[in-house]
Amino acid sequence: MTGNTSSDRIRWGIIGTGRIAHAFAKALAGCEDAVPYAAASRTRQKADEFAATYGFQKAYGSYAELAQDPNIDAVYIATPMSAHYHDAKLCLANGKNVLCEKSVTLNSWQLEELLELARRNGLFFMEAMWMKCRPVYRKAMEWVRGNKIGTIRYLKAEFCNLVPYNAENRLFRADCGGGALLDLAVYPLTLAHDIMGVPGKIVTHAHLRNGIDLSNTMLLSYENAAASLDSSFEYPSRNNAVISGESGIILFGDGFHNASEVSLYDRSLHLLETFTAEDRINGYEYEIDEVNRCLRNGLQDSPLVPQRATLEIMQIMDECRRQWGMRFPEEL
């Protein structure tokens, strides 16, 4: 941290003032050991408005100004996907610990460079995969690792949101890192990786338009198991997930990535246990808690969202895009 003692609150900066930054700032304001210290936008007016709304002490009209503020302990990066690499690099180069929104970069080699920079500078770095920090998700992983459903054989997860196509929307712009893969598929893929690791084989298909994927499906094969994952902007779904083992199943409530409930069943599908946890604020508080905990304990890598896992997931997404023939303008 930057001059903090264990009793001090963590001083946060936010780069970017879009929709997700607003959600994060609401959570930040409700975390007792965190200080909403500085916000930066591309214009000073937007930064001032954002700072006033959420009680930040300072506002900056450029990201560089915030990155150079010596009083900031951690920076949350909430800019468009294509900007994550550059904005995170700016912060790490200026000695700031970083929580970077997902998907963390466009590809694995950008991430490798950031991780090396963080290691070289002795800094904390974590992808903002809030799902992995939430109580319901952590309970499901506790059941899996406690062998509650035996050896895992199959996992199915979907994350589909119907979004009308708009060529100006960042979700559909290749220059913004758009597409269902980086925006949605990272969630079911993270779930599968957390339980099964790196697959031996990937079979995937996508519906492409103007350089981005509108929909995608992945079949991940392991030695004695498989995962089926679907993501799309073209149709809605219940966005649920099921983990199947030899002794039972784990079933998330709808919207598995932010579900408030998860249930454990035996092999005859008799309900054994249900775990429910409502958010203290809006769900983003758990990743803030994790970063704060890591900083207080001198950790540079989160045990809940380890850098190695984030890198392996990015490498899987690289392979998916390779099979689709999809490359972002920055990669050409």
Side-chain angles (χ1 to χ4, degrees):
M1 292 185 288
T2 308
N4 274 64
T5 66
S6 60
S7 62
D8 288 333
R9 298 162 70 197
I10 308 297
R11 292 165 297 196
W12 280 83
I14 292 184
I15 283 182
T17 54
R19 179 186 58 82
I20 201 164
H22 284 265
F24 187 90
K26 289 177 184 177
L28 192 65
C31 292
E32 293 183 356
D33 64 343
V35 176
Y37 181 76
S41 189
R42 285 177 292 183
T43 69
R44 181 59 187 268
Q45 180 180 350
K46 287 184 178 179
D48 284 338
E49 292 171 355
F50 187 91
T53 299
Y54 298 106
F56 283 81
Q57 297 176 22
K58 291 189 176 182
Y60 292 112
S62 76
Y63 302 157
E65 288 179 278
L66 183 143
Q68 293 163 10
D69 187 322
N71 296 313
I72 294 173
D73 298 312
V75 177
Y76 170 63
I77 294 173
T79 50
M81 221 89 70
S82 57
H84 288 175
Y85 163 73
H86 304 284
D87 296 334
K89 187 174 181 179
L90 171 68
C91 291
L92 291 170
N94 280 277
K96 299 298 185 290
N97 300 296
V98 169
L99 175 66
C100 186
E101 195 48 63
K102 67 208 135 0
S103 286
V104 64
T105 50
L106 294 180
N107 52 53
S108 61
W109 50 96
Q110 285 185 341
L111 178 56
E112 286 177 320
E113 184 178 338
L114 295 179
L115 294 180
E116 175 56 31
L117 182 57
R119 282 192 292 268
R120 194 162 64 242
N121 291 348
L123 296 167
F124 176 85
F125 184 90
M126 183 179 117
E127 180 180 46
M129 179 48 72
W130 69 323
M131 175 181 75
K132 295 183 76 169
C133 301
R134 296 170 61 86
V136 164
Y137 183 91
R138 294 179 66 177
K139 173 57 71 172
M141 294 307 105
E142 178 186 313
W143 286 341
V144 168
R145 288 155 191 161
N147 204 35
K148 294 291 188 179
I149 59 171
T151 302
I152 307 300
R153 295 301 187 196
Y154 180 69
L155 181 150
K156 180 173 176 60
E158 59 190 23
F159 196 173
C160 305
N161 289 332
L162 180 59
V163 183
Y165 184 82
N166 176 355
E168 299 304 313
N169 187 322
R170 67 161 185 86
L171 295 175
F172 303 107
R173 290 175 51 180
D175 63 326
C176 290
L181 179 70
L182 296 187
D183 196 73
L184 301 178
V186 65
Y187 286 102
L189 185 53
T190 293
L191 176 64
H193 179 276
D194 214 7
I195 295 170
M196 298 175 167
V198 177
K201 183 179 180 182
I202 302 169
V203 177
T204 181
H205 173 74
H207 175 207
L208 303 181
R209 180 175 178 181
N210 292 336
I212 59 96
D213 63 305
L214 297 178
S215 299
N216 66 71
T217 184
M218 304 178 203
L219 180 61
L220 310 181
S221 299
Y222 303 83
E223 186 174 353
N224 292 301
S228 177
L229 314 176
D230 295 284
S231 300
S232 179
F233 292 138
E234 297 183 288
Y235 51 85
S237 73
R238 294 176 64 180
N239 295 336
N240 54 18
V242 59
I243 307 164
S244 300
E246 293 179 340
S247 305
I249 69 169
I250 295 170
L251 180 64
F252 287 87
D254 292 347
F256 75 92
H257 72 293
N258 64 352
S260 59
E261 182 177 289
V262 64
S263 298
L264 174 67
Y265 297 81
D266 66 16
R267 69 177 67 200
S268 299
L269 302 187
H270 295 135
L271 179 64
L272 300 177
E273 184 178 349
T274 293
F275 177 82
T276 302
E278 298 296 335
D279 295 333
R280 297 199 321 265
I281 306 171
N282 61 7
Y284 289 88
E285 62 271 23
Y286 303 112
E287 64 182 357
I288 296 170
D289 291 344
E290 174 62 5
V291 175
N292 289 351
R293 185 189 70 83
C294 288
L295 293 181
R296 293 191 186 287
N297 287 280
L299 301 179
Q300 296 174 25
D301 189 11
S302 163
L304 284 184
V305 192
Q307 296 166 5
R308 180 178 179 84
T310 302
L311 179 59
E312 289 175 350
I313 291 163
M314 289 303 309
Q315 290 168 339
I316 293 170
M317 292 196 289
D318 287 349
E319 171 59 19
C320 289
R321 290 195 297 116
R322 187 196 67 79
Q323 292 188 29
W324 306 339
M326 174 181 156
R327 300 178 69 184
F328 295 111
E330 194 166 327
E331 299 172 317
L332 298 176

mmCIF file of all heavy atoms in Angstrom, residues 245-268:
data_model
loop_
_atom_site.group_PDB
_atom_site.id
_atom_site.type_symbol
_atom_site.label_atom_id
_atom_site.label_comp_id
_atom_site.label_asym_id
_atom_site.label_seq_id
_atom_site.Cartn_x
_atom_site.Cartn_y
_atom_site.Cartn_z
ATOM 1 N N GLY A 245 -21.793 -34.507 -10.747
ATOM 2 C CA GLY A 245 -20.778 -35.445 -10.305
ATOM 3 C C GLY A 245 -21.355 -36.839 -10.170
ATOM 4 O O GLY A 245 -22.555 -37.056 -10.354
ATOM 5 N N GLU A 246 -20.520 -37.787 -9.817
ATOM 6 C CA GLU A 246 -20.959 -39.168 -9.696
ATOM 7 C C GLU A 246 -21.916 -39.380 -8.529
ATOM 8 O O GLU A 246 -22.690 -40.340 -8.516
ATOM 9 C CB GLU A 246 -19.746 -40.091 -9.541
ATOM 10 C CG GLU A 246 -18.866 -40.146 -10.791
ATOM 11 C CD GLU A 246 -17.666 -41.047 -10.611
ATOM 12 O OE1 GLU A 246 -17.300 -41.328 -9.440
ATOM 13 O OE2 GLU A 246 -17.077 -41.462 -11.629
ATOM 14 N N SER A 247 -21.898 -38.462 -7.555
ATOM 15 C CA SER A 247 -22.724 -38.636 -6.355
ATOM 16 C C SER A 247 -23.856 -37.623 -6.242
ATOM 17 O O SER A 247 -24.628 -37.676 -5.278
ATOM 18 C CB SER A 247 -21.852 -38.540 -5.097
ATOM 19 O OG SER A 247 -20.788 -39.465 -5.138
ATOM 20 N N GLY A 248 -23.947 -36.689 -7.187
ATOM 21 C CA GLY A 248 -24.996 -35.689 -7.092
ATOM 22 C C GLY A 248 -24.745 -34.508 -7.994
ATOM 23 O O GLY A 248 -23.866 -34.546 -8.865
ATOM 24 N N ILE A 249 -25.538 -33.452 -7.793
ATOM 25 C CA ILE A 249 -25.381 -32.250 -8.608
ATOM 26 C C ILE A 249 -25.438 -31.007 -7.730
ATOM 27 O O ILE A 249 -25.985 -31.022 -6.625
ATOM 28 C CB ILE A 249 -26.452 -32.141 -9.716
ATOM 29 C CG1 ILE A 249 -27.839 -31.881 -9.114
ATOM 30 C CG2 ILE A 249 -26.457 -33.374 -10.603
ATOM 31 C CD1 ILE A 249 -28.883 -31.499 -10.156
ATOM 32 N N ILE A 250 -24.869 -29.937 -8.258
ATOM 33 C CA ILE A 250 -24.974 -28.603 -7.665
ATOM 34 C C ILE A 250 -25.666 -27.727 -8.689
ATOM 35 O O ILE A 250 -25.233 -27.647 -9.840
ATOM 36 C CB ILE A 250 -23.591 -28.040 -7.312
ATOM 37 C CG1 ILE A 250 -22.939 -28.880 -6.219
ATOM 38 C CG2 ILE A 250 -23.698 -26.579 -6.881
ATOM 39 C CD1 ILE A 250 -21.480 -28.548 -5.969
ATOM 40 N N LEU A 251 -26.744 -27.074 -8.283
ATOM 41 C CA LEU A 251 -27.536 -26.255 -9.201
ATOM 42 C C LEU A 251 -27.627 -24.829 -8.672
ATOM 43 O O LEU A 251 -28.092 -24.592 -7.557
ATOM 44 C CB LEU A 251 -28.942 -26.841 -9.345
ATOM 45 C CG LEU A 251 -29.908 -26.107 -10.278
ATOM 46 C CD1 LEU A 251 -29.404 -26.139 -11.726
ATOM 47 C CD2 LEU A 251 -31.304 -26.723 -10.193
ATOM 48 N N PHE A 252 -27.154 -23.887 -9.489
ATOM 49 C CA PHE A 252 -27.254 -22.474 -9.141
ATOM 50 C C PHE A 252 -28.641 -21.944 -9.462
ATOM 51 O O PHE A 252 -29.310 -22.429 -10.378
ATOM 52 C CB PHE A 252 -26.239 -21.643 -9.932
ATOM 53 C CG PHE A 252 -24.816 -21.803 -9.501
ATOM 54 C CD1 PHE A 252 -24.023 -22.819 -10.019
ATOM 55 C CD2 PHE A 252 -24.250 -20.941 -8.578
ATOM 56 C CE1 PHE A 252 -22.707 -22.964 -9.637
ATOM 57 C CE2 PHE A 252 -22.934 -21.072 -8.177
ATOM 58 C CZ PHE A 252 -22.162 -22.088 -8.706
ATOM 59 N N GLY A 253 -29.054 -20.907 -8.758
ATOM 60 C CA GLY A 253 -30.244 -20.183 -9.141
ATOM 61 C C GLY A 253 -30.011 -19.460 -10.458
ATOM 62 O O GLY A 253 -28.886 -19.363 -10.945
ATOM 63 N N ASP A 254 -31.082 -18.961 -11.076
ATOM 64 C CA ASP A 254 -30.948 -18.260 -12.356
ATOM 65 C C ASP A 254 -29.968 -17.098 -12.211
ATOM 66 O O ASP A 254 -29.922 -16.422 -11.182
ATOM 67 C CB ASP A 254 -32.306 -17.736 -12.819
ATOM 68 C CG ASP A 254 -33.249 -18.869 -13.207
ATOM 69 O OD1 ASP A 254 -32.764 -20.011 -13.352
ATOM 70 O OD2 ASP A 254 -34.449 -18.616 -13.350
ATOM 71 N N GLY A 255 -29.205 -16.862 -13.295
ATOM 72 C CA GLY A 255 -28.165 -15.860 -13.248
ATOM 73 C C GLY A 255 -27.037 -16.349 -12.363
ATOM 74 O O GLY A 255 -26.709 -15.729 -11.348
ATOM 75 N N PHE A 256 -26.421 -17.493 -12.747
ATOM 76 C CA PHE A 256 -25.466 -18.166 -11.861
ATOM 77 C C PHE A 256 -24.317 -17.261 -11.448
ATOM 78 O O PHE A 256 -23.753 -17.415 -10.363
ATOM 79 C CB PHE A 256 -24.908 -19.426 -12.543
ATOM 80 C CG PHE A 256 -23.894 -19.161 -13.627
ATOM 81 C CD1 PHE A 256 -22.543 -19.120 -13.331
ATOM 82 C CD2 PHE A 256 -24.295 -18.922 -14.930
ATOM 83 C CE1 PHE A 256 -21.603 -18.864 -14.316
ATOM 84 C CE2 PHE A 256 -23.358 -18.665 -15.924
ATOM 85 C CZ PHE A 256 -22.007 -18.635 -15.618
ATOM 86 N N HIS A 257 -23.961 -16.290 -12.297
ATOM 87 C CA HIS A 257 -22.801 -15.458 -11.989
ATOM 88 C C HIS A 257 -23.042 -14.522 -10.810
ATOM 89 O O HIS A 257 -22.088 -14.060 -10.171
ATOM 90 C CB HIS A 257 -22.388 -14.648 -13.219
ATOM 91 C CG HIS A 257 -23.329 -13.542 -13.557
ATOM 92 N ND1 HIS A 257 -24.614 -13.766 -13.997
ATOM 93 C CD2 HIS A 257 -23.180 -12.184 -13.517
ATOM 94 C CE1 HIS A 257 -25.215 -12.609 -14.203
ATOM 95 N NE2 HIS A 257 -24.372 -11.637 -13.921
ATOM 96 N N ASN A 258 -24.317 -14.227 -10.527
ATOM 97 C CA ASN A 258 -24.619 -13.398 -9.355
ATOM 98 C C ASN A 258 -25.818 -13.943 -8.587
ATOM 99 O O ASN A 258 -26.568 -13.195 -7.962
ATOM 100 C CB ASN A 258 -24.856 -11.939 -9.762
ATOM 101 C CG ASN A 258 -26.080 -11.763 -10.644
ATOM 102 O OD1 ASN A 258 -26.686 -12.735 -11.096
ATOM 103 N ND2 ASN A 258 -26.454 -10.519 -10.899
ATOM 104 N N ALA A 259 -25.970 -15.269 -8.623
ATOM 105 C CA ALA A 259 -27.106 -15.919 -7.965
ATOM 106 C C ALA A 259 -27.050 -15.717 -6.454
ATOM 107 O O ALA A 259 -25.976 -15.654 -5.856
ATOM 108 C CB ALA A 259 -27.114 -17.410 -8.294
ATOM 109 N N SER A 260 -28.219 -15.644 -5.844
ATOM 110 C CA SER A 260 -28.303 -15.523 -4.391
ATOM 111 C C SER A 260 -28.560 -16.876 -3.739
ATOM 112 O O SER A 260 -28.668 -16.960 -2.511
ATOM 113 C CB SER A 260 -29.415 -14.542 -4.001
ATOM 114 O OG SER A 260 -30.667 -14.995 -4.505
ATOM 115 N N GLU A 261 -28.630 -17.940 -4.564
ATOM 116 C CA GLU A 261 -28.952 -19.257 -4.017
ATOM 117 C C GLU A 261 -28.266 -20.349 -4.824
ATOM 118 O O GLU A 261 -28.139 -20.264 -6.047
ATOM 119 C CB GLU A 261 -30.468 -19.465 -4.030
ATOM 120 C CG GLU A 261 -30.942 -20.778 -3.449
ATOM 121 C CD GLU A 261 -32.465 -20.869 -3.430
ATOM 122 O OE1 GLU A 261 -33.093 -20.158 -2.616
ATOM 123 O OE2 GLU A 261 -33.010 -21.637 -4.238
ATOM 124 N N VAL A 262 -27.824 -21.390 -4.126
ATOM 125 C CA VAL A 262 -27.270 -22.578 -4.776
ATOM 126 C C VAL A 262 -27.721 -23.786 -3.973
ATOM 127 O O VAL A 262 -27.837 -23.728 -2.745
ATOM 128 C CB VAL A 262 -25.730 -22.500 -4.871
ATOM 129 C CG1 VAL A 262 -25.072 -22.497 -3.499
ATOM 130 C CG2 VAL A 262 -25.176 -23.613 -5.750
ATOM 131 N N SER A 263 -28.004 -24.893 -4.684
ATOM 132 C CA SER A 263 -28.565 -26.076 -4.028
ATOM 133 C C SER A 263 -27.731 -27.317 -4.321
ATOM 134 O O SER A 263 -27.173 -27.466 -5.409
ATOM 135 C CB SER A 263 -30.012 -26.312 -4.478
ATOM 136 O OG SER A 263 -30.825 -25.213 -4.115
ATOM 137 N N LEU A 264 -27.701 -28.204 -3.338
ATOM 138 C CA LEU A 264 -26.961 -29.461 -3.425
ATOM 139 C C LEU A 264 -27.949 -30.619 -3.420
ATOM 140 O O LEU A 264 -28.826 -30.687 -2.555
ATOM 141 C CB LEU A 264 -26.011 -29.559 -2.228
ATOM 142 C CG LEU A 264 -25.233 -30.852 -2.027
ATOM 143 C CD1 LEU A 264 -24.208 -31.042 -3.146
ATOM 144 C CD2 LEU A 264 -24.531 -30.843 -0.657
ATOM 145 N N TYR A 265 -27.814 -31.525 -4.404
ATOM 146 C CA TYR A 265 -28.694 -32.683 -4.532
ATOM 147 C C TYR A 265 -27.869 -33.968 -4.531
ATOM 148 O O TYR A 265 -26.709 -33.976 -4.983
ATOM 149 C CB TYR A 265 -29.483 -32.621 -5.843
ATOM 150 C CG TYR A 265 -30.424 -31.444 -5.963
ATOM 151 C CD1 TYR A 265 -29.953 -30.187 -6.343
ATOM 152 C CD2 TYR A 265 -31.777 -31.590 -5.705
ATOM 153 C CE1 TYR A 265 -30.823 -29.099 -6.458
ATOM 154 C CE2 TYR A 265 -32.657 -30.514 -5.828
ATOM 155 C CZ TYR A 265 -32.165 -29.274 -6.203
ATOM 156 O OH TYR A 265 -33.024 -28.207 -6.324
ATOM 157 N N ASP A 266 -28.484 -35.068 -4.081
ATOM 158 C CA ASP A 266 -27.796 -36.351 -4.172
ATOM 159 C C ASP A 266 -28.001 -36.948 -5.560
ATOM 160 O O ASP A 266 -28.618 -36.330 -6.435
ATOM 161 C CB ASP A 266 -28.249 -37.299 -3.053
ATOM 162 C CG ASP A 266 -29.708 -37.729 -3.168
ATOM 163 O OD1 ASP A 266 -30.326 -37.559 -4.252
ATOM 164 O OD2 ASP A 266 -30.243 -38.233 -2.166
ATOM 165 N N ARG A 267 -27.498 -38.169 -5.769
ATOM 166 C CA ARG A 267 -27.562 -38.762 -7.108
ATOM 167 C C ARG A 267 -28.993 -39.086 -7.551
ATOM 168 O O ARG A 267 -29.261 -39.233 -8.746
ATOM 169 C CB ARG A 267 -26.711 -40.032 -7.156
ATOM 170 C CG ARG A 267 -27.246 -41.197 -6.353
ATOM 171 C CD ARG A 267 -26.370 -42.415 -6.534
ATOM 172 N NE ARG A 267 -25.055 -42.211 -5.947
ATOM 173 C CZ ARG A 267 -23.978 -42.926 -6.266
ATOM 174 N NH1 ARG A 267 -24.068 -43.864 -7.176
ATOM 175 N NH2 ARG A 267 -22.822 -42.714 -5.672
ATOM 176 N N SER A 268 -29.938 -39.166 -6.598
ATOM 177 C CA SER A 268 -31.353 -39.391 -6.931
ATOM 178 C C SER A 268 -32.112 -38.075 -7.043
ATOM 179 O O SER A 268 -33.339 -38.067 -7.143
ATOM 180 C CB SER A 268 -32.007 -40.282 -5.862
ATOM 181 O OG SER A 268 -31.380 -41.544 -5.793
#
